[in-house]
Amino acid sequence: MAEIVLETKELKKVYGTQVKTQVLHGIDLAVRKGEFASIIGYSGSGKSTLLNILGALDKPTSGQVLFRGMDFGKMTENDLAAFRNENLGFIFQFHHLLPEFTALENVLIPTWIRGGRGRGKDVKKAKELLDLVGLSEFLNKKSTNLSGGQQQRVAIARALVNEPALLLGDEPTGNLDSDTTDQIYGLFRTINEELGTTLLIVTHNDHIAAKSDRVVELTDGKVSRDYSNLELGAEDAFRQVAPVYCKFCPHQPAHGGQSHLL
Amino acid sequence: MGFEWKVALRFLKEGRGQTLFILLGIAVGVSVQVFLNTLITGLQDNLIDQTVGTSPHVWVSGRNGFQETPLEASNVIRGNFLEKDTDLGGWEVVEQVLEERKDLTAVSPVAEGSGNLVKGGLAVPVLLRGIDLEKADGIYRISGRMVSGSPSLEGNQVLVGLDLARENEIGTGDVVQVALPDGSSQSFTVSGIFDLGNGTLNGSWIFLDLGRAQRLFGLGDRISKIELQVADVFQAEAVADSVEGRLEGVLAENWIESNASLLSALQSQGSSSLLIQVFVLLAITLGISSVLAVSVVQKSKQLGILKAMGARNASASRIFLYQGALLGIGGALLGIGLGIGLIRMFLWGTAIQTGVPLFPLDPTLESMAVIGAIATVASTLAALLPAKRSSKLNPVEVIRNG
């Protein structure tokens, strides 16, 4: 078994001080190195909250998050910022590129924050990544002049530039059409296999969930299912996730069915 | 260059219209400050120059007890009037002490007395001023203000004021008769005619050699007073006090005492100008602060992303502080340029009719640097509040809301 990269113990999150809303009810989760895992669940099940806590953007009300044994709770704000910069890559639903900068500059920003001067090695790395996501012709275009899919690919390159151990995605294809979603999935797979990056993706997309290695389903702030797709066939894997997204057609794939199964 | 600078610069560059407007806002404010400052300074300098530019700022005379021969030097009856004796004995020592001071620009001993110029049966009262021409030039610039003849005081040569010469039809080379208080009469050769730019002085002053004046007025080796010009005219009072403190038995008077109303006018002018400048600065600061505050809201998404990617809270703050500083520096430079333009226009405008500007305006590098520096510091401070907001921004909220 590969080493555990990220681990949570009894993770709880309560929002609000007067009217309290408990979003996470004790999550125990362990993510191993090299895993490509999806987190699925209905809206409000706590997926994004969990991901933000795992990404050191938000703090749990109680419980622990450990990254290679390092406890987030014992790190200062600045430690956490440096940690995010060096070990994590984020991909959001809305690409969240900085419109003031070009594609290449956007990819370089995490290296600037790390203290790099934007020269030599970093630029080479950024260009390689943009090449990997198929955008080597768009280096110097402002991000606002790129299509949605292109922007999301720039965001993926940006998430990878500091060679993070863990890539976190919060509905990274939520805003894209199905063809582009396929491309992005392909990229995730490439990154996972070629760079050995661990991926943890919150997704509403049955397609991506079905094709990831592992699926963690949250229901009302608890892990309701946690299984591996590796032993299942493609169709079975899809049947497993479909009901989450299609309440009224438990045995039919959502979004037009079989055509999504590649 | 840290990444905060890169981001700050880019934010400004991409917010073109907004950046341009705030830059112009600062520039206009700074230009008003530069112009106003130069105008007020020029006006004051001009007024002061006209008032005391070519007259002594401090004059040192004797006080009871300083004289080498005190018995002789008490109140002396001369003719039929009582004269309080303020003559300065041992003045060479005093002069030497004064010449060593760095805050004085001219030291000129004077031996003076009154007399009557006798011409065609008329007697015109005159003031005979015995001077060392070279030293007196430091104050009156006589040599440079000759209307005719040459500035020479050798033998029995004298220099006569322009109005006095004109009214009495005296020309260079003429011999004039002057009746002295002791009843004697003395004849002088007029070597030149001067114009000090002041009707009273031009109408009554006659310059002659210091030693000769001492003999004519029976002063012996004493003189009437030592006249001084000080480097900073507003320090005249302090200089006078320190001269009195240093030299026992002398009386040092200064121009400030005799021009109190002019000074208070200048002072109130100066302070109202300062007040205007403070309000201009306040307006600039508030302008920048509000523009940057809006900018924090506009850029909150970008800041959230930067933070998610590992930018520290302090870095997020710095991005806005740097924007404030950059706006300040840019606006100040632009404003100084504009200010110089305004000054040029003023000089040109006031010179249309006469060909000579109303009064000289000379913006000093120093004052412009100070104004620019203050604007830059104020702009940076104006960014403090926005910077704090930027630091407190929670990335999760930005990301969650798309």
Side-chain angles (χ1 to χ4, degrees):
Chain A
M1 280 287 237
E3 65 159 321
I4 292 176
V5 180
L6 193 65
E7 194 178 7
T8 68
K9 288 178 180 168
E10 269 301 298
L11 207 60
K12 289 180 183 165
K13 177 74 181 177
V14 180
Y15 282 117
T17 46
Q18 294 188 324
V19 182
K20 294 191 177 180
T21 316
Q22 185 157 5
V23 181
L24 299 179
H25 296 262
I27 305 269
D28 290 293
L29 194 67
V31 181
R32 292 183 184 279
K33 188 174 179 348
E35 241 174 7
F36 181 169
S38 296
I39 300 176
I40 63 172
Y42 296 117
S43 291
S45 58
K47 305 185 298 285
S48 291
T49 302
L50 177 62
L51 199 78
N52 287 337
I53 292 173
L54 295 180
L57 290 172
D58 205 352
K59 285 195 162 70
T61 310
S62 69
Q64 272 185 314
V65 186
L66 302 165
F67 182 88
R68 287 180 175 152
M70 247 184 333
D71 189 349
F72 283 8
K74 290 178 180 158
M75 292 161 78
T76 66
E77 195 99 353
N78 283 339
D79 288 343
L80 287 173
F83 168 80
R84 284 200 296 272
N85 181 254
E86 286 159 21
N87 298 294
L88 299 182
F90 285 98
I91 305 161
F92 309 101
Q93 177 177 1
F94 305 98
H95 56 83
H96 284 323
L97 296 179
L98 270 62
E100 294 85 359
F101 291 88
T102 64
L104 180 63
E105 286 168 334
N106 263 290
V107 176
L108 281 169
I109 287 174
T111 72
W112 295 346
I113 294 174
R114 199 187 58 213
R117 290 280 178 259
R119 278 193 296 245
K121 216 180 79 188
D122 290 336
V123 175
K124 189 163 165 269
K125 176 85 190 164
K127 284 182 175 168
E128 278 171 17
L129 286 168
L130 279 167
D131 195 35
L132 179 76
V133 298
L135 290 175
S136 41
E137 285 167 34
F138 301 91
L139 298 181
N140 296 317
K141 281 219 165 171
K142 280 274 162 63
S143 58
T144 41
N145 295 332
L146 300 174
S147 71
Q150 288 170 332
Q151 289 179 332
Q152 195 59 297
R153 283 186 276 158
V154 174
I156 292 169
R158 180 178 67 183
L160 291 170
V161 75
N162 274 348
E163 299 179 359
L166 181 62
L167 196 63
L168 298 172
D170 193 357
E171 301 187 31
T173 58
N175 217 16
L176 302 173
D177 61 57
S178 59
D179 282 348
T180 318
T181 300
D182 284 343
Q183 287 176 14
I184 301 288
Y185 167 76
L187 263 176
F188 284 160
R189 198 36 100 180
T190 311
I191 291 158
N192 177 243
E193 283 169 2
E194 290 184 8
L195 308 177
T197 310
T198 310
L199 281 93
L200 193 55
I201 312 281
V202 164
T203 184
H204 260 134
N205 189 289
D206 44 8
H207 184 193
I208 287 200
K211 296 219 279 186
S212 58
D213 300 343
R214 176 185 173 188
V215 177
V216 178
E217 186 184 333
L218 290 190
T219 309
D220 297 332
K222 285 178 202 146
V223 177
S224 53
R225 287 197 293 169
D226 183 353
Y227 61 92
S228 171
N229 273 340
L230 296 176
E231 303 96 46
L232 302 172
E235 208 155 322
D236 274 351
F238 194 82
R239 286 209 181 86
Q240 291 289 323
V241 295
V244 178
Y245 299 104
C246 186
K247 273 187 184 174
F248 307 106
C249 45
H251 301 294
Q252 293 295 315
H255 307 306
Q258 298 293 328
S259 66
H260 272 248
L261 284 173
L262 295 172
Chain B
M1 188 164 65
F3 93 94
E4 296 99 334
W5 279 111
K6 277 187 192 151
V7 176
L9 263 172
R10 192 61 66 90
F11 278 5
L12 288 176
K13 200 179 141 211
E14 292 298 315
R16 282 183 198 110
Q18 201 166 302
T19 306
L20 204 68
F21 272 116
I22 193 68
L23 269 181
L24 274 179
I26 301 169
V28 168
V30 168
S31 70
V32 166
Q33 288 190 311
V34 168
F35 178 65
L36 201 65
N37 201 295
T38 312
L39 189 72
I40 298 291
T41 313
L43 194 64
Q44 288 191 347
D45 286 353
N46 187 47
L47 269 172
I48 288 162
D49 191 49
Q50 282 187 353
T51 312
V52 292
T54 51
S55 59
H57 305 150
V58 177
W59 45 100
V60 180
S61 53
R63 204 205 287 266
N64 289 342
F66 187 76
Q67 287 85 343
E68 282 172 320
T69 47
L71 280 177
E72 245 181 46
S74 53
N75 294 341
V76 177
I77 308 286
R78 247 190 217 146
N80 60 351
F81 57 91
L82 186 72
E83 184 183 77
K84 178 138 166 72
D85 190 351
T86 58
D87 292 346
L88 203 55
W91 60 275
E92 288 93 344
V93 184
V94 179
E95 189 190 16
Q96 204 178 346
V97 169
L98 292 172
E99 268 175 352
E100 279 165 13
R101 290 180 68 115
K102 295 256 169 19
D103 51 358
L104 301 180
T105 54
V107 178
S108 168
V110 181
E112 62 184 8
S114 51
N116 284 308
L117 179 80
V118 183
K119 176 94 182 179
L122 285 173
V124 182
V126 293
L127 186 66
L128 292 160
R129 311 202 82 215
I131 53 164
D132 177 326
L133 189 58
E134 203 178 309
K135 290 174 182 171
D137 265 350
I139 297 175
Y140 300 102
R141 284 181 251 141
I142 305 160
S143 301
R145 299 160 107 181
M146 296 303 295
V147 178
S148 69
S150 61
S152 166
L153 295 176
E154 277 165 36
N156 72 341
Q157 287 179 325
V158 292
L159 300 173
V160 179
L162 177 66
D163 297 48
L164 189 63
R166 219 178 253 160
E167 279 159 27
N168 299 286
E169 294 172 345
I170 299 166
T172 303
D174 289 2
V175 174
V176 292
Q177 291 289 326
V178 178
L180 296 175
D182 63 0
S184 67
S185 180
Q186 190 74 34
S187 54
F188 299 103
T189 308
V190 177
S191 61
I193 291 163
F194 60 82
D195 176 11
L196 294 184
N198 177 316
T200 315
L201 306 189
N202 284 347
S204 60
W205 279 19
I206 294 177
F207 285 118
L208 67 159
D209 179 64
L210 179 69
R212 192 168 169 78
Q214 283 174 314
R215 282 194 299 281
L216 288 177
F217 294 109
L219 290 168
D221 55 3
R222 308 214 300 276
I223 58 169
S224 310
K225 56 186 164 188
I226 296 179
E227 294 180 334
L228 310 173
Q229 273 203 342
V230 298
D232 178 0
V233 291
F234 292 107
Q235 289 301 310
E237 208 154 14
V239 170
D241 284 349
S242 94
V243 166
E244 281 189 356
R246 178 82 202 275
L247 298 162
E248 205 181 319
V250 304
L251 181 67
E253 293 164 276
N254 65 81
W255 75 278
I256 292 175
E257 289 166 4
S258 41
N259 287 284
S261 59
L262 172 76
L263 273 166
S264 77
L266 288 182
Q267 253 163 20
S268 54
Q269 193 185 44
S271 50
S272 64
S273 138
L274 191 71
L275 203 66
I276 293 170
Q277 295 196 38
V278 167
F279 278 109
V280 168
L281 194 70
L282 199 66
I284 295 177
T285 313
L286 289 175
I288 296 173
S289 198
S290 61
V291 166
L292 287 179
V294 171
S295 175
V296 171
V297 178
Q298 287 174 332
K299 305 289 185 198
S300 57
K301 197 179 108 188
Q302 284 90 322
L303 289 165
I305 301 160
L306 288 171
K307 284 188 180 183
M309 291 190 296
R312 296 172 172 206
N313 290 337
S315 290
S317 283
R318 251 176 254 141
I319 289 171
F320 283 87
L321 286 180
Y322 292 168
Q323 286 189 71
L326 286 169
L327 285 171
I329 292 168
L333 289 177
L334 208 62
I336 287 170
L338 265 176
I340 291 173
L342 276 177
I343 291 164
R344 291 255 164 87
M345 268 173 62
F346 177 86
L347 291 177
W348 173 80
T350 56
I352 287 177
Q353 288 198 321
T354 56
V356 185
L358 203 55
F359 50 87
L361 285 184
D362 191 17
T364 62
L365 208 63
E366 197 188 330
S367 71
M368 288 190 296
V370 168
I371 290 168
I374 290 175
T376 306
V377 170
S379 305
T380 313
L381 289 180
L384 270 179
L385 223 61
K388 201 167 178 196
R389 284 176 65 175
S390 155
S391 140
K392 283 187 176 160
L393 203 104
N394 185 352
V396 175
E397 274 165 36
V398 177
I399 290 154
R400 189 185 295 148
N401 298 331

